[in-house]
Amino acid sequence: MDIIKMSHLTILFCFIFSIFLSHTSAENSSDSYWLLRIKSSFIDPDNTLSNWSSSTSICSWNGITCSLDQVHVIGMNLSSSGLSGVISPEFSHLSSLQTLDLSSNSLSGRIPGELGKLQNLRELLLYSNSLSDKIPHEVGFLPKLEILRIGDNMLTGEIPKSIGNLTELKVLGISYCLLNGSIPSEIGSLKNLETLDLQQNAFVGEIPREIGECQKLQVFSAANNMLQEDIPTSIGKLHSLQVLNLANNSFSGMIPTEMGDLQQLKYLNLLGNRLSGAIPSEMNLLSQLEKLDLSGNNLSGSLELFTSQMKNLEVIILSNNHLSGNIPGSFCMNNGSRLQILSISGNGFSGKFPLELLSCFSLQQLDLSDNKFQGKIPSEIDKLEHLTDLYLNNNSFSGKLPPEIGNLSNLEFLSLYGNGITGEIPAEIGKLNKLSVIYLYDNHMSGNIPNELTNCTSLTEIDFFGNHFSGLIPDSIGKLQNLVLLHLRQNELSGKIPPSLGDCKKLQMLALADNRLSGSIPSTFSSLSELSLITLYNNSLEGPLPESLFLLKNLKIINLSHNKLNGSIFPLTGSTSLTVLDLTNNGFFGSIPSRLALSKNLIRVRLGSNSLSGNIPLEFSLLTELIFLDLSFNSISGELAVSLSNSTKLEHLILNNNQFSGHIPSWLGNLKWLGELDLSSNNFNGTIPKEVGKCSTLLKLSLHTNKLSGQIPPELGTLSSLNVLNLQGNNLSGTIPSEIQHLEKLFELRLSDNFLTGKIPVELQQLTELQVILDLSHNQLSGEIPQSLGNLMKLERLNLSNNNLQGRIPSSLGKLSSLHSLNLSHNLLQGKLPSSFSTFPLSAFVGNKRLCGAPLGSCSSSSKKRLPKGEVVMIIVAIVFTSSVICLVMIYIMLRIWTAWRKVAVSSNDGFGNENKGQDQEKWVCYGDEKKKGGYCKMSSKNMTPSPDKQLFTSESVLKK
């Protein structure tokens, strides 16, 4: 009987077990089916899902976690598996899933709303993919969700308000997306939230005051958004908060005093906002705070933070505010201070170097730059024995650099530029074996550069620009084999460049310009294979360039201008990376190497004031990035190469004082960015191409001293940005085009020494910015000077000389109060000069015979020109002389008449009658210019006085003699 019972029980057990197995098999079979469907939505180049197959147990599949009874799939972790494709909605069928981690892949598309059906899901990790579209509101249907991290994607839209339903949520990470809108107040419903990461999105509005309800919050980061308004005082309720990062938003108002209630806070970052007012003293209550960054705000007032109370502070950054006053004396009195970094740069702190800081013995980085500190750098600076970085730049420190600075054995970065430090560099600087960077530029230091400096073999950057260092560059400079930057420009260094500099093989930037260096460029420079910048201008270097410079393949910027170098420039064409080449004012000769055009990224070429010859190489057609080309003051000839037409980015084309010939090409009109065109002092002929009028950005157009002919193109009137127009010294003819009136920004106009005719256009009155000069001299202009020129109130120089101008000088010119140079000479002008012209020299008006008024003679009532005093004296002498001669003649005539009368009388007395009396009287009368034979004409006294005109002629004749 027992045996029968046992058999029945066995059969029943087997039956039940078979049912269980069949159920388990069905469950596994179902999950397997959906997982294989999900697999098909992925692209798996790394074969991470290769064992996802029906032939193997689902619980052994990569990334899959099953329940303890091997019945349900409860977890999937495919993080960093190289997957792409999309997230399949089929995930909704894995109803037992508790953890889904697809982070750090390349998945795209949207987050499917079907994930909201996974009622058992506790962790959803989709961060660091390329997911887009909105966060589905169905995420709020996951009642057990504790961790939601979907940041570092391309998600857009707002945070769904349904997020407030996730009452079990502990971590919400949606940073580094493209989300916008405001932070929903429903966040306050997340009572269990510990981490809230919203940084690097585009959230606007304010932080909801409901944030204070998240009592368990430990980490809150909303940095790099567009949040604004005040920081809510309710944030002071977050007593568990350890990290608060609200950097780079637009928060305004004051820092709430309630911040002092955050007793567990270790990290506080409010940089880059618009916070104002004083730093609240309540901040001193943050005894656990380790890092504080309030930089880049509008905070003001004095510094009221004390490390004696904030004993755990390691970092204080208060730079770029409006703080002022002195550093408080008790700032660092706590001997147990842990302060390692203090930056108060870019404020208004004043006074002497704060000795209080010398008690901060743990300091590693001290930044007092860009303040108003003054006085000497204290010799006690060596108390900060752990200091690695010292920034004192841009203050008003003075005095000498203390030798004790050599005791800072850990110092790596020393920045003292922009002060008034004097004296020599102490030799003790050579003890700083770890020193990597030393910036002493823009001070008043002098003396030699000490040889001991070359003992600092860790140096990578030396910048002594703008001091008064003299003497030689140390011969041992080659010991600095880690040197990347050597900047000694604008000092008084002399002697030769040390050949040992060639041993600094890591050197990338070498600036020795503006000194008194002499000798040749060392051939050892060929070893500086990393060199990208070399500036040696304004020295007295001489001789040809070492041919070995051709080996420098990384050169980008070369400036050797204003030296005495000569020979060929070919050695500088070895680098195809060249962007700037300036060899102005040397003695280089020969042709421009065509190889130079292989540097296709050249933007600036200046070869002016040398002795270069030949043509512009045709290969210059490759220089499509060229912005500045200066070949002036050479002997370059030929026509203007069409190859330059490819340089469509040209802004400065300066070719003056060469031997170019031929026509000015019309393709210049295609240079849309051209700001300066100077082709003066060449042999160009033909007409000015009207296409130049298309250069709409042109500021300076100088074509003077050529052989150009024809008319001035009216199209030049379209150059509305033009400041300088110089066409003088050509063979231009025709009238001055009225279109010039549109050049309203012109402040210099020179059209002299041409063959221009017609009147001065009245439209020139529109050139109200004309200031430097208006020069129309040495032409054939006629008509009157326009009254409208009186509108040119800024004009300083006016030259209208040597034309055919006539009429009166307009009174409006006398009101040009800025005019200090005037030339109206050699015209046909007449009338009285404006009284304000009396200060100009006589030479300004000569050659106008009918002008009068100071500085010329005064104008008479008959408007005759007053003669100079010397001429008046000569006229008087002439009149007296003439009068004397006339008197003598009259006396002589009277005597002759008297003698004749006496004879007649005697004859009468001798018996002659009076019958012929009338006839005899008629013989004494002359009519007109008749000549009488025998006897004399009767003279009238009125004919004896010269006329005024003849008086003037006589005086002039006398003067001429």
Side-chain angles (χ1 to χ4, degrees):
M1 191 68 181
D2 292 335
I3 295 173
I4 295 172
K5 289 181 179 180
M6 287 292 292
S7 63
H8 283 245
L9 287 172
T10 302
I11 293 169
L12 179 62
F13 176 76
C14 290
F15 176 73
I16 294 171
F17 186 68
S18 65
I19 293 174
F20 173 76
L21 287 176
S22 65
H23 177 72
T24 301
S25 177
E27 287 283 351
N28 272 325
S29 175
S30 175
D31 284 355
S32 174
Y33 170 76
W34 294 117
L35 284 174
L36 290 175
R37 292 282 300 269
I38 290 169
K39 176 184 176 181
S40 66
S41 66
F42 291 141
I43 299 172
D44 181 21
D46 297 336
N47 292 319
T48 303
L49 309 181
S50 60
N51 69 339
W52 283 29
S53 171
S54 56
S55 62
T56 59
S57 171
I58 187 175
C59 295
S60 65
W61 291 3
N62 286 338
I64 298 299
T65 301
C66 291
S67 59
L68 292 175
D69 56 9
Q70 303 293 300
V71 173
H72 306 291
V73 174
I74 61 172
M76 179 187 295
N77 185 351
L78 296 176
S79 177
S80 303
S81 296
L83 299 175
S84 57
V86 298
I87 300 175
S88 172
E90 311 291 359
F91 272 104
S92 62
H93 296 285
L94 302 177
S95 57
S96 299
L97 201 62
Q98 298 177 20
T99 301
L100 175 58
D101 187 353
L102 301 176
S103 62
S104 301
N105 283 290
S106 300
L107 301 173
S108 58
R110 65 183 185 89
I111 299 174
E114 288 81 355
L115 295 183
K117 297 179 181 180
L118 300 175
Q119 297 294 294
N120 291 301
L121 199 62
R122 297 179 184 275
E123 297 183 16
L124 178 57
L125 309 175
L126 305 178
Y127 63 87
S128 297
N129 278 286
S130 298
L131 301 171
S132 57
D133 211 337
K134 298 181 179 180
I135 301 173
H137 73 278
E138 290 88 349
V139 169
F141 300 163
L142 302 172
K144 296 182 180 181
L145 196 63
E146 297 178 359
I147 299 176
L148 175 60
R149 297 184 62 193
I150 54 176
D152 194 16
N153 279 290
M154 295 186 288
L155 300 173
T156 57
E158 301 184 6
I159 300 174
K161 294 184 178 181
S162 62
I163 207 84
N165 298 330
L166 305 178
T167 55
E168 299 298 319
L169 198 64
K170 295 180 180 179
V171 176
L172 176 58
I174 48 178
S175 61
Y176 294 91
C177 289
L178 303 173
L179 299 169
N180 53 33
S182 58
I183 302 173
S185 59
E186 286 77 5
I187 288 288
S189 302
L190 307 180
K191 308 295 184 182
N192 291 302
L193 198 61
E194 297 176 358
T195 297
L196 176 58
D197 189 358
L198 308 177
Q199 64 182 320
Q200 201 70 45
N201 280 286
F203 293 122
V204 296
E206 56 186 350
I207 297 175
R209 65 179 183 276
E210 288 82 0
I211 194 75
E213 303 300 319
C214 302
Q215 298 287 316
K216 295 182 180 181
L217 198 61
Q218 298 177 20
V219 177
F220 178 29
S221 179
N224 299 295
N225 281 285
M226 294 184 284
L227 299 170
Q228 50 195 7
E229 304 297 336
D230 294 355
I231 298 174
T233 57
S234 61
I235 211 161
K237 297 179 181 179
L238 304 177
H239 298 282
S240 299
L241 201 62
Q242 298 180 25
V243 174
L244 177 58
N245 187 357
L246 303 179
N248 296 320
N249 281 283
S250 297
F251 291 113
S252 57
M254 302 179 69
I255 299 174
T257 58
E258 288 79 2
M259 285 275 192
D261 297 333
L262 304 178
Q263 297 293 308
Q264 302 301 314
L265 200 62
K266 295 182 179 180
Y267 179 92
L268 176 59
N269 191 345
L270 302 179
L271 78 87
N273 282 284
R274 300 174 184 173
L275 299 170
S276 58
I279 300 173
S281 59
E282 287 82 359
M283 299 284 282
N284 287 298
L285 300 175
L286 303 178
S287 58
Q288 301 300 314
L289 197 63
E290 297 175 359
K291 297 181 180 179
L292 173 64
D293 192 344
L294 304 179
S295 61
N297 281 284
N298 298 316
L299 300 172
S300 58
S302 58
L303 181 60
E304 298 294 338
L305 296 176
F306 307 100
T307 61
S308 56
Q309 294 174 258
M310 307 169 75
K311 297 180 180 180
N312 290 299
L313 260 180
E314 297 177 357
V315 177
I316 300 178
I317 303 177
L318 306 176
S319 56
N320 299 312
N321 279 286
H322 303 293
L323 301 170
S324 59
N326 299 322
I327 306 298
S330 57
F331 178 76
C332 218
M333 294 302 292
N334 179 20
N335 291 332
S337 170
R338 299 172 58 184
L339 192 63
Q340 297 176 18
I341 298 175
L342 174 63
S343 176
I344 57 173
S345 64
N347 281 284
F349 290 110
S350 58
K352 295 184 177 181
F353 184 98
L355 298 177
E356 297 79 10
L357 299 181
L358 300 181
S359 299
C360 302
F361 299 117
S362 299
L363 267 180
Q364 296 177 15
Q365 298 179 24
L366 175 60
D367 190 352
L368 306 182
S369 62
D370 295 282
N371 279 287
K372 300 177 182 178
F373 291 113
Q374 55 188 359
K376 296 181 178 180
I377 299 172
S379 58
E380 301 91 336
I381 191 76
D382 58 355
K383 289 183 178 180
L384 302 178
E385 59 183 19
H386 298 289
L387 208 60
T388 61
D389 299 85
L390 178 59
Y391 302 87
L392 304 180
N393 50 278
N394 290 329
N395 279 284
S396 297
F397 289 116
S398 57
K400 296 182 178 181
L401 190 60
E404 288 80 4
I405 205 157
N407 297 330
L408 298 175
S409 57
N410 292 300
L411 198 63
E412 298 176 6
F413 200 113
L414 177 60
S415 180
L416 304 178
Y417 67 86
N419 282 287
I421 299 173
T422 58
E424 300 182 356
I425 300 173
E428 288 79 1
I429 204 85
K431 299 190 312 185
L432 302 178
N433 295 326
K434 296 182 180 179
L435 191 64
S436 175
V437 174
I438 179 169
Y439 289 161
L440 302 180
Y441 61 88
D442 283 331
N443 277 286
H444 303 294
M445 303 186 73
S446 58
N448 294 341
I449 298 174
N451 289 322
E452 289 81 359
L453 182 66
T454 62
N455 294 332
C456 304
T457 53
S458 297
L459 274 171
T460 60
E461 297 185 26
I462 297 176
D463 195 339
F464 295 166
F465 162 80
N467 280 281
H468 303 287
F469 292 118
S470 58
L472 306 177
I473 300 173
D475 285 335
S476 55
I477 194 79
K479 293 166 60 178
L480 304 179
Q481 297 190 6
N482 293 305
L483 205 58
V484 174
L485 166 69
L486 179 59
H487 193 173
L488 305 179
R489 181 183 154 224
Q490 210 172 96
N491 280 282
E492 298 167 15
L493 299 169
S494 58
K496 296 182 178 181
I497 300 174
S500 70
L501 197 55
D503 295 331
C504 303
K505 296 183 180 180
K506 295 182 181 179
L507 199 62
Q508 296 179 18
M509 290 174 279
L510 175 62
L512 305 179
D514 292 310
N515 279 286
R516 300 172 183 174
L517 300 172
S518 58
S520 58
I521 297 175
S523 59
T524 56
F525 275 21
S526 60
S527 300
L528 304 178
S529 58
E530 300 297 318
L531 198 63
S532 64
L533 177 148
I534 178 170
T535 59
L536 306 177
Y537 57 88
N538 287 341
N539 279 288
S540 297
L541 300 172
E542 58 188 9
L545 300 171
E547 293 183 5
S548 57
L549 294 184
F550 187 81
L551 300 174
L552 302 181
K553 303 298 183 183
N554 290 303
L555 279 174
K556 293 182 179 179
I557 297 175
I558 301 174
N559 191 340
L560 309 181
S561 62
H562 301 279
N563 279 285
K564 301 175 183 178
L565 299 167
N566 56 41
S568 173
I569 67 175
F570 185 81
L572 298 178
T573 62
S575 171
T576 57
S577 302
L578 208 57
T579 59
V580 174
L581 177 63
D582 192 342
L583 305 178
T584 307
N585 197 15
N586 277 284
F588 292 111
F589 54 80
S591 59
I592 301 172
S594 58
R595 180 182 167 79
L596 185 60
L598 296 180
S599 299
K600 297 181 181 180
N601 292 317
L602 267 170
I603 59 174
R604 191 178 183 90
V605 176
R606 301 199 64 179
L607 305 177
S609 299
N610 281 284
S611 300
L612 298 172
S613 58
N615 299 336
I616 296 176
L618 294 176
E619 289 80 1
F620 267 37
S621 61
L622 301 174
L623 302 181
T624 57
E625 302 298 315
L626 199 60
I627 293 176
F628 200 119
L629 178 60
D630 179 3
L631 305 179
S632 61
F633 293 95
N634 280 286
S635 299
I636 301 172
S637 58
E639 296 189 0
L640 194 53
V642 70
S643 56
L644 290 179
S645 63
N646 288 346
S647 302
T648 56
K649 297 181 180 180
L650 265 175
E651 297 178 9
H652 302 267
L653 181 56
I654 307 172
L655 305 178
N656 57 288
N657 293 86
N658 277 285
Q659 298 175 14
F660 288 108
S661 58
H663 289 192
I664 295 176
S666 60
W667 54 256
L668 288 172
N670 298 327
L671 305 181
K672 303 299 182 183
W673 304 106
L674 197 62
E676 180 180 11
L677 176 61
D678 192 344
L679 305 180
S680 60
S681 298
N682 279 286
N683 296 312
F684 288 112
N685 54 45
T687 59
I688 300 173
K690 63 181 182 181
E691 288 80 2
V692 173
K694 296 179 181 179
C695 301
S696 57
T697 59
L698 203 61
L699 299 175
K700 178 181 178 181
L701 176 59
S702 185
L703 306 178
H704 72 81
T705 320
N706 278 286
K707 300 175 181 178
L708 300 172
S709 57
Q711 296 187 346
I712 300 174
E715 288 80 2
L716 296 186
T718 62
L719 301 176
S720 58
S721 298
L722 202 64
N723 297 148
V724 175
L725 177 58
N726 190 343
L727 305 179
Q728 69 186 25
N730 281 286
N731 299 317
L732 299 173
S733 58
T735 59
I736 299 173
S738 61
E739 287 80 0
I740 285 183
Q741 67 177 306
H742 301 304
L743 307 180
E744 295 181 355
K745 295 183 180 179
L746 204 65
F747 60 78
E748 181 177 341
L749 176 59
R750 299 175 188 264
L751 303 178
S752 63
D753 292 289
N754 280 287
F755 297 98
L756 299 174
T757 57
K759 296 182 178 181
I760 299 175
V762 296
E763 292 85 355
L764 292 184
Q765 66 177 324
Q766 301 297 328
L767 306 182
T768 54
E769 294 300 313
L770 207 59
Q771 178 178 350
V772 176
I773 192 171
L774 172 59
D775 189 352
L776 307 179
S777 64
H778 293 275
N779 279 287
Q780 298 173 8
L781 300 173
S782 58
E784 296 186 349
I785 299 174
Q787 184 85 16
S788 60
L789 292 187
N791 292 338
L792 308 180
M793 298 303 296
K794 296 181 180 180
L795 193 63
E796 297 176 355
R797 298 164 64 191
L798 176 62
N799 192 347
L800 304 179
S801 65
N802 292 279
N803 279 287
N804 297 317
L805 300 172
Q806 55 192 18
R808 294 180 177 272
I809 298 173
S811 59
S812 62
L813 294 188
K815 300 177 182 179
L816 298 179
S817 56
S818 298
L819 201 66
H820 61 73
S821 177
L822 176 66
N823 194 346
L824 303 177
S825 64
H826 301 289
N827 279 287
L828 303 174
L829 300 171
Q830 62 183 16
K832 185 177 182 180
L833 292 173
S835 59
S836 60
F837 282 5
S838 61
T839 58
F840 293 112
L842 182 66
S843 59
F845 310 106
V846 297
N848 293 280
K849 294 183 178 180
R850 303 180 68 183
L851 277 180
C852 62
L856 301 174
S858 62
C859 300
S860 65
S861 59
S862 61
S863 300
K864 295 296 182 180
K865 181 179 177 182
R866 181 177 179 179
L867 295 175
K869 185 176 180 180
E871 293 188 15
V872 171
V873 171
M874 295 301 293
I875 290 173
I876 293 173
V877 171
I879 292 174
V880 171
F881 175 79
T882 304
S883 300
S884 300
V885 171
I886 292 173
C887 288
L888 290 173
V889 170
M890 290 181 66
I891 292 171
Y892 175 76
I893 292 173
M894 292 298 293
L895 288 172
R896 291 293 300 270
I897 293 174
W898 182 79
T899 303
W901 178 79
R902 289 278 297 173
K903 288 181 179 180
V904 172
V906 170
S907 299
S908 299
N909 292 333
D910 288 341
F912 287 96
N914 295 326
E915 61 269 24
N916 295 325
K917 183 178 180 181
Q919 185 178 357
D920 292 338
Q921 287 179 341
E922 194 176 54
K923 290 180 181 179
W924 293 106
V925 179
C926 289
Y927 296 98
D929 291 353
E930 289 180 357
K931 295 182 178 179
K932 298 294 182 180
K933 296 180 180 179
Y936 296 89
C937 293
K938 188 175 181 180
M939 304 296 291
S940 173
S941 62
K942 68 179 180 181
N943 291 329
M944 301 302 292
T945 304
S947 69
D949 286 340
K950 287 187 176 180
Q951 289 183 41
L952 180 59
F953 175 78
T954 304
S955 64
E956 287 177 349
S957 299
V958 171
L959 285 175
K960 286 180 181 179
K961 291 181 180 178

